[in-house]
Amino acid sequence: MMNRPVVGWGLAVAAVVAGYWGYGLPGLALASTAIVFWLLLQFSRAMRVMRKAGSAPLGQVGSAVMLNAKLRPGMTMLEILPLTGSLGAAVGDTADETYRWRDAGGASVRVHLKNGRLQSWQLEREDAAAAER
């Protein structure tokens, strides 16, 4: 799996070197401006996703089954939040990155992140728990 931050910063360094080598100080200024613009776009995207997720009820999702189907290993929280539309309810210790989203039907999805990346998730259905009793 590709390490996105390393690739991104590698491209930024390559742009600075190519800008300076090809055009001198104006090329360096252009490359630096492009890098700052890209970082501002990423920050703006993160703030937009967090603002939208923060305005919704905590731990609620339209359909837990659909969320379960869309999750993939390695996703970041910034990629998960647009799928859920809300912030997840923390489960257990805050050091343990485990969050849960529930839908109106009682089904829930519990996700476990490690180092900010999705490691595992589990669909839990309320009707299945009631049937076992």
Side-chain angles (χ1 to χ4, degrees):
M1 185 174 194
M2 142 175 95
N3 192 344
R4 292 179 189 176
V6 171
V7 171
W9 286 110
L11 288 173
V13 168
V16 168
V17 169
Y20 183 73
W21 183 65
Y23 299 100
L25 288 179
L28 179 66
L30 178 64
S32 299
T33 302
I35 291 168
V36 169
F37 180 69
W38 181 255
L39 290 172
L40 286 172
L41 284 175
Q42 297 304 311
F43 180 76
S44 174
R45 176 179 173 248
M47 290 297 102
R48 187 174 50 249
V49 168
M50 292 301 290
R51 184 174 33 248
K52 183 179 177 195
S55 66
L58 184 67
Q60 294 294 314
V61 67
S63 172
V65 174
M66 289 302 294
L67 174 60
N68 180 58
K70 292 179 181 178
L71 293 175
R72 299 286 175 255
M75 293 177 83
T76 63
M77 184 61 90
L78 194 57
E79 294 169 330
I80 295 171
L81 287 179
L83 298 176
T84 64
S86 70
L87 297 172
V91 177
D93 186 20
T94 56
D96 183 34
E97 298 177 76
T98 304
Y99 302 94
R100 180 182 331 156
W101 285 270
R102 292 182 187 270
D103 64 12
S108 65
V109 175
R110 184 185 302 242
V111 300
H112 179 72
L113 295 107
K114 184 172 183 179
N115 296 326
R117 298 237 174 234
L118 181 60
Q119 293 297 309
S120 62
W121 66 95
Q122 180 179 7
L123 176 66
E124 300 167 344
R125 294 183 185 249
E126 188 173 280
D127 57 339
E132 291 175 2
R133 293 181 189 168

mmCIF file with all atom_site columns, all heavy atoms in Angstrom, residues 118-130:
data_model
loop_
_atom_site.group_PDB
_atom_site.id
_atom_site.type_symbol
_atom_site.label_atom_id
_atom_site.label_alt_id
_atom_site.label_comp_id
_atom_site.label_asym_id
_atom_site.label_entity_id
_atom_site.label_seq_id
_atom_site.pdbx_PDB_ins_code
_atom_site.Cartn_x
_atom_site.Cartn_y
_atom_site.Cartn_z
_atom_site.occupancy
_atom_site.B_iso_or_equiv
_atom_site.pdbx_formal_charge
_atom_site.auth_seq_id
_atom_site.auth_comp_id
_atom_site.auth_asym_id
_atom_site.auth_atom_id
_atom_site.pdbx_PDB_model_num
ATOM 1   N N   . LEU A 1 118 ? -8.581  2.741   9.257  1.00 0.00 ? 118 LEU A N   1
ATOM 2   C CA  . LEU A 1 118 ? -9.566  1.715   9.576  1.00 0.00 ? 118 LEU A CA  1
ATOM 3   C C   . LEU A 1 118 ? -8.924  0.330   9.529  1.00 0.00 ? 118 LEU A C   1
ATOM 4   O O   . LEU A 1 118 ? -8.378  -0.079  8.514  1.00 0.00 ? 118 LEU A O   1
ATOM 5   C CB  . LEU A 1 118 ? -10.736 1.791   8.586  1.00 0.00 ? 118 LEU A CB  1
ATOM 6   C CG  . LEU A 1 118 ? -11.872 0.805   8.790  1.00 0.00 ? 118 LEU A CG  1
ATOM 7   C CD1 . LEU A 1 118 ? -12.519 0.983   10.144 1.00 0.00 ? 118 LEU A CD1 1
ATOM 8   C CD2 . LEU A 1 118 ? -12.900 0.957   7.692  1.00 0.00 ? 118 LEU A CD2 1
ATOM 9   N N   . GLN A 1 119 ? -8.977  -0.373  10.650 1.00 0.00 ? 119 GLN A N   1
ATOM 10  C CA  . GLN A 1 119 ? -8.427  -1.721  10.737 1.00 0.00 ? 119 GLN A CA  1
ATOM 11  C C   . GLN A 1 119 ? -9.521  -2.777  10.602 1.00 0.00 ? 119 GLN A C   1
ATOM 12  O O   . GLN A 1 119 ? -9.361  -3.742  9.893  1.00 0.00 ? 119 GLN A O   1
ATOM 13  C CB  . GLN A 1 119 ? -7.697  -1.916  12.072 1.00 0.00 ? 119 GLN A CB  1
ATOM 14  C CG  . GLN A 1 119 ? -6.462  -1.082  12.208 1.00 0.00 ? 119 GLN A CG  1
ATOM 15  C CD  . GLN A 1 119 ? -5.424  -1.431  11.180 1.00 0.00 ? 119 GLN A CD  1
ATOM 16  O OE1 . GLN A 1 119 ? -5.077  -2.589  11.014 1.00 0.00 ? 119 GLN A OE1 1
ATOM 17  N NE2 . GLN A 1 119 ? -4.939  -0.443  10.465 1.00 0.00 ? 119 GLN A NE2 1
ATOM 18  N N   . SER A 1 120 ? -10.619 -2.569  11.340 1.00 0.00 ? 120 SER A N   1
ATOM 19  C CA  . SER A 1 120 ? -11.701 -3.552  11.303 1.00 0.00 ? 120 SER A CA  1
ATOM 20  C C   . SER A 1 120 ? -13.013 -2.862  11.617 1.00 0.00 ? 120 SER A C   1
ATOM 21  O O   . SER A 1 120 ? -13.027 -1.779  12.189 1.00 0.00 ? 120 SER A O   1
ATOM 22  C CB  . SER A 1 120 ? -11.439 -4.674  12.308 1.00 0.00 ? 120 SER A CB  1
ATOM 23  O OG  . SER A 1 120 ? -11.393 -4.154  13.624 1.00 0.00 ? 120 SER A OG  1
ATOM 24  N N   . TRP A 1 121 ? -14.104 -3.506  11.231 1.00 0.00 ? 121 TRP A N   1
ATOM 25  C CA  . TRP A 1 121 ? -15.431 -2.998  11.527 1.00 0.00 ? 121 TRP A CA  1
ATOM 26  C C   . TRP A 1 121 ? -16.375 -4.170  11.651 1.00 0.00 ? 121 TRP A C   1
ATOM 27  O O   . TRP A 1 121 ? -16.107 -5.254  11.138 1.00 0.00 ? 121 TRP A O   1
ATOM 28  C CB  . TRP A 1 121 ? -15.906 -1.995  10.484 1.00 0.00 ? 121 TRP A CB  1
ATOM 29  C CG  . TRP A 1 121 ? -16.131 -2.572  9.125  1.00 0.00 ? 121 TRP A CG  1
ATOM 30  C CD1 . TRP A 1 121 ? -17.304 -3.029  8.593  1.00 0.00 ? 121 TRP A CD1 1
ATOM 31  C CD2 . TRP A 1 121 ? -15.152 -2.755  8.100  1.00 0.00 ? 121 TRP A CD2 1
ATOM 32  N NE1 . TRP A 1 121 ? -17.119 -3.468  7.312  1.00 0.00 ? 121 TRP A NE1 1
ATOM 33  C CE2 . TRP A 1 121 ? -15.803 -3.322  6.989  1.00 0.00 ? 121 TRP A CE2 1
ATOM 34  C CE3 . TRP A 1 121 ? -13.785 -2.504  8.010  1.00 0.00 ? 121 TRP A CE3 1
ATOM 35  C CZ2 . TRP A 1 121 ? -15.145 -3.637  5.808  1.00 0.00 ? 121 TRP A CZ2 1
ATOM 36  C CZ3 . TRP A 1 121 ? -13.141 -2.825  6.832  1.00 0.00 ? 121 TRP A CZ3 1
ATOM 37  C CH2 . TRP A 1 121 ? -13.812 -3.381  5.752  1.00 0.00 ? 121 TRP A CH2 1
ATOM 38  N N   . GLN A 1 122 ? -17.470 -3.941  12.351 1.00 0.00 ? 122 GLN A N   1
ATOM 39  C CA  . GLN A 1 122 ? -18.414 -5.015  12.610 1.00 0.00 ? 122 GLN A CA  1
ATOM 40  C C   . GLN A 1 122 ? -19.834 -4.457  12.575 1.00 0.00 ? 122 GLN A C   1
ATOM 41  O O   . GLN A 1 122 ? -20.128 -3.454  13.214 1.00 0.00 ? 122 GLN A O   1
ATOM 42  C CB  . GLN A 1 122 ? -18.139 -5.634  13.974 1.00 0.00 ? 122 GLN A CB  1
ATOM 43  C CG  . GLN A 1 122 ? -19.066 -6.756  14.336 1.00 0.00 ? 122 GLN A CG  1
ATOM 44  C CD  . GLN A 1 122 ? -18.716 -7.336  15.698 1.00 0.00 ? 122 GLN A CD  1
ATOM 45  O OE1 . GLN A 1 122 ? -17.873 -6.815  16.416 1.00 0.00 ? 122 GLN A OE1 1
ATOM 46  N NE2 . GLN A 1 122 ? -19.381 -8.418  16.048 1.00 0.00 ? 122 GLN A NE2 1
ATOM 47  N N   . LEU A 1 123 ? -20.702 -5.129  11.829 1.00 0.00 ? 123 LEU A N   1
ATOM 48  C CA  . LEU A 1 123 ? -22.114 -4.778  11.785 1.00 0.00 ? 123 LEU A CA  1
ATOM 49  C C   . LEU A 1 123 ? -22.819 -5.525  12.902 1.00 0.00 ? 123 LEU A C   1
ATOM 50  O O   . LEU A 1 123 ? -22.675 -6.743  13.026 1.00 0.00 ? 123 LEU A O   1
ATOM 51  C CB  . LEU A 1 123 ? -22.720 -5.155  10.433 1.00 0.00 ? 123 LEU A CB  1
ATOM 52  C CG  . LEU A 1 123 ? -24.218 -4.921  10.272 1.00 0.00 ? 123 LEU A CG  1
ATOM 53  C CD1 . LEU A 1 123 ? -24.535 -3.443  10.326 1.00 0.00 ? 123 LEU A CD1 1
ATOM 54  C CD2 . LEU A 1 123 ? -24.708 -5.527  8.969  1.00 0.00 ? 123 LEU A CD2 1
ATOM 55  N N   . GLU A 1 124 ? -23.543 -4.803  13.742 1.00 0.00 ? 124 GLU A N   1
ATOM 56  C CA  . GLU A 1 124 ? -24.268 -5.415  14.857 1.00 0.00 ? 124 GLU A CA  1
ATOM 57  C C   . GLU A 1 124 ? -25.743 -5.110  14.669 1.00 0.00 ? 124 GLU A C   1
ATOM 58  O O   . GLU A 1 124 ? -26.128 -3.960  14.504 1.00 0.00 ? 124 GLU A O   1
ATOM 59  C CB  . GLU A 1 124 ? -23.772 -4.842  16.189 1.00 0.00 ? 124 GLU A CB  1
ATOM 60  C CG  . GLU A 1 124 ? -22.299 -5.090  16.417 1.00 0.00 ? 124 GLU A CG  1
ATOM 61  C CD  . GLU A 1 124 ? -21.729 -4.266  17.550 1.00 0.00 ? 124 GLU A CD  1
ATOM 62  O OE1 . GLU A 1 124 ? -22.382 -3.290  17.968 1.00 0.00 ? 124 GLU A OE1 1
ATOM 63  O OE2 . GLU A 1 124 ? -20.633 -4.599  18.005 1.00 0.00 ? 124 GLU A OE2 1
ATOM 64  N N   . ARG A 1 125 ? -26.568 -6.152  14.700 1.00 0.00 ? 125 ARG A N   1
ATOM 65  C CA  . ARG A 1 125 ? -28.008 -5.972  14.509 1.00 0.00 ? 125 ARG A CA  1
ATOM 66  C C   . ARG A 1 125 ? -28.724 -6.214  15.836 1.00 0.00 ? 125 ARG A C   1
ATOM 67  O O   . ARG A 1 125 ? -28.501 -7.210  16.495 1.00 0.00 ? 125 ARG A O   1
ATOM 68  C CB  . ARG A 1 125 ? -28.539 -6.922  13.449 1.00 0.00 ? 125 ARG A CB  1
ATOM 69  C CG  . ARG A 1 125 ? -27.988 -6.626  12.080 1.00 0.00 ? 125 ARG A CG  1
ATOM 70  C CD  . ARG A 1 125 ? -28.616 -7.569  11.089 1.00 0.00 ? 125 ARG A CD  1
ATOM 71  N NE  . ARG A 1 125 ? -28.015 -7.394  9.786  1.00 0.00 ? 125 ARG A NE  1
ATOM 72  C CZ  . ARG A 1 125 ? -28.658 -6.872  8.751  1.00 0.00 ? 125 ARG A CZ  1
ATOM 73  N NH1 . ARG A 1 125 ? -29.895 -6.485  8.884  1.00 0.00 ? 125 ARG A NH1 1
ATOM 74  N NH2 . ARG A 1 125 ? -28.059 -6.759  7.603  1.00 0.00 ? 125 ARG A NH2 1
ATOM 75  N N   . GLU A 1 126 ? -29.627 -5.292  16.183 1.00 0.00 ? 126 GLU A N   1
ATOM 76  C CA  . GLU A 1 126 ? -30.363 -5.387  17.430 1.00 0.00 ? 126 GLU A CA  1
ATOM 77  C C   . GLU A 1 126 ? -31.326 -6.570  17.418 1.00 0.00 ? 126 GLU A C   1
ATOM 78  O O   . GLU A 1 126 ? -31.486 -7.267  18.404 1.00 0.00 ? 126 GLU A O   1
ATOM 79  C CB  . GLU A 1 126 ? -31.139 -4.093  17.684 1.00 0.00 ? 126 GLU A CB  1
ATOM 80  C CG  . GLU A 1 126 ? -31.772 -4.017  19.039 1.00 0.00 ? 126 GLU A CG  1
ATOM 81  C CD  . GLU A 1 126 ? -32.370 -2.660  19.258 1.00 0.00 ? 126 GLU A CD  1
ATOM 82  O OE1 . GLU A 1 126 ? -31.623 -1.729  19.586 1.00 0.00 ? 126 GLU A OE1 1
ATOM 83  O OE2 . GLU A 1 126 ? -33.598 -2.548  19.098 1.00 0.00 ? 126 GLU A OE2 1
ATOM 84  N N   . ASP A 1 127 ? -31.970 -6.845  16.279 1.00 0.00 ? 127 ASP A N   1
ATOM 85  C CA  . ASP A 1 127 ? -32.921 -7.950  16.199 1.00 0.00 ? 127 ASP A CA  1
ATOM 86  C C   . ASP A 1 127 ? -32.238 -9.310  16.358 1.00 0.00 ? 127 ASP A C   1
ATOM 87  O O   . ASP A 1 127 ? -32.813 -10.233 16.887 1.00 0.00 ? 127 ASP A O   1
ATOM 88  C CB  . ASP A 1 127 ? -33.720 -7.898  14.905 1.00 0.00 ? 127 ASP A CB  1
ATOM 89  C CG  . ASP A 1 127 ? -32.839 -7.917  13.658 1.00 0.00 ? 127 ASP A CG  1
ATOM 90  O OD1 . ASP A 1 127 ? -31.648 -7.581  13.776 1.00 0.00 ? 127 ASP A OD1 1
ATOM 91  O OD2 . ASP A 1 127 ? -33.341 -8.262  12.578 1.00 0.00 ? 127 ASP A OD2 1
ATOM 92  N N   . ALA A 1 128 ? -30.971 -9.427  15.941 1.00 0.00 ? 128 ALA A N   1
ATOM 93  C CA  . ALA A 1 128 ? -30.244 -10.684 16.113 1.00 0.00 ? 128 ALA A CA  1
ATOM 94  C C   . ALA A 1 128 ? -29.945 -10.922 17.579 1.00 0.00 ? 128 ALA A C   1
ATOM 95  O O   . ALA A 1 128 ? -30.006 -12.067 18.056 1.00 0.00 ? 128 ALA A O   1
ATOM 96  C CB  . ALA A 1 128 ? -28.942 -10.661 15.312 1.00 0.00 ? 128 ALA A CB  1
ATOM 97  N N   . ALA A 1 129 ? -29.636 -9.868  18.328 1.00 0.00 ? 129 ALA A N   1
ATOM 98  C CA  . ALA A 1 129 ? -29.366 -10.006 19.752 1.00 0.00 ? 129 ALA A CA  1
ATOM 99  C C   . ALA A 1 129 ? -30.647 -10.390 20.497 1.00 0.00 ? 129 ALA A C   1
ATOM 100 O O   . ALA A 1 129 ? -30.627 -11.198 21.441 1.00 0.00 ? 129 ALA A O   1
ATOM 101 C CB  . ALA A 1 129 ? -28.791 -8.718  20.324 1.00 0.00 ? 129 ALA A CB  1
ATOM 102 N N   . ALA A 1 130 ? -31.778 -9.830  20.077 1.00 0.00 ? 130 ALA A N   1
ATOM 103 C CA  . ALA A 1 130 ? -33.059 -10.169 20.737 1.00 0.00 ? 130 ALA A CA  1
ATOM 104 C C   . ALA A 1 130 ? -33.493 -11.591 20.423 1.00 0.00 ? 130 ALA A C   1
ATOM 105 O O   . ALA A 1 130 ? -34.117 -12.243 21.237 1.00 0.00 ? 130 ALA A O   1
ATOM 106 C CB  . ALA A 1 130 ? -34.130 -9.181  20.286 1.00 0.00 ? 130 ALA A CB  1
#
